[in-house]
Amino acid sequence: AVNQRQEPTMDLFSKVPLVEIPVMITREEKAWLEMMMKKGKIAVPPGGSLPEGSVISIFMRTMLWNAEEMRQSLDTVPQEALNALLEKKELIEIRIQISSDQKVWLDTVGVSSKTSLPPNDSAVSLFIRVLLENAIEQQRALERADPWADDDEE
């Protein structure tokens, strides 16, 4: 019974083996991540303070875990949406730490032959940008639905 596969659970703070990967995102996405952190919308583990990169990595691991649970892939993204993301040329590299299992899963994320990636881009980065754009859109929708939600602005 050594090789029984357990159902994956999202234990973000356990000692799972992490691997660092570079991903290309837009300046807007990076600014959004930083703003969400400053506003305390991206959670930090209880009783701890972590460097910015670690908090962003935890958020990314959560997004990836969700995407994997929902069986999301680039194939499920409309071609027009992918093309719109690919038109954004100003990409910057950030490094995120994800679990080794997530890395294995991400390596299966490919783009269809209809999508041509620029040389400095990858299917993994494109997928991360899709997830980030979805998160940004969800956050904007929440703010529209509850105009007082962000009352802590100066």
Side-chain angles (χ1 to χ4, degrees):
V2 176
N3 238 349
Q4 280 187 331
R5 180 166 152 63
Q6 289 184 319
E7 271 306 299
T9 55
M10 190 170 73
D11 187 359
L12 295 173
F13 312 120
S14 68
K15 299 288 178 221
V16 292
L18 298 178
V19 290
E20 190 171 78
I21 63 165
V23 290
M24 303 300 287
I25 63 172
T26 65
R27 291 188 190 288
E28 295 82 22
E29 290 161 349
K30 184 163 189 328
W32 180 81
L33 284 167
E34 290 166 349
M35 181 264 308
M36 292 296 281
M37 267 188 55
K38 284 187 186 83
K39 288 184 175 182
K41 307 256 187 198
I42 296 179
V44 179
S49 64
L50 287 173
E52 182 177 284
S54 298
V55 176
I56 288 173
S57 286
I58 290 170
F59 178 72
M60 296 296 214
R61 287 199 295 280
T62 309
M63 272 194 345
L64 289 170
W65 186 82
N66 254 343
E68 190 173 1
E69 284 291 291
M70 295 168 62
R71 292 180 167 54
Q72 289 176 306
S73 69
L74 285 173
D75 299 335
T76 61
V77 180
Q79 190 63 41
E80 307 78 58
L82 288 181
N83 291 344
L85 281 175
L86 287 167
E87 282 169 18
K88 297 180 178 178
K89 298 287 185 235
E90 291 285 313
L91 300 178
I92 53 175
E93 182 181 293
I94 64 167
R95 301 187 79 77
I96 59 170
Q97 291 186 329
I98 59 175
S99 74
S100 44
D101 289 353
Q102 287 176 325
K103 170 88 172 82
V104 169
W105 176 71
L106 267 179
D107 287 342
T108 67
V109 172
V111 290
S112 78
S113 52
K114 293 187 295 251
T115 310
S116 64
L117 289 168
N120 69 333
D121 208 351
S122 69
V124 168
S125 289
L126 182 59
F127 187 57
I128 297 274
R129 292 199 304 278
V130 165
L131 297 178
L132 278 172
E133 289 298 324
N134 288 343
I136 291 169
E137 192 43 54
Q138 285 172 1
Q139 179 62 26
R140 287 186 183 138
L142 283 173
E143 287 170 4
R144 283 192 297 271
D146 183 358
W148 306 109
D150 247 350
D151 235 8
D152 58 329
E153 297 277 302
E154 304 74 67

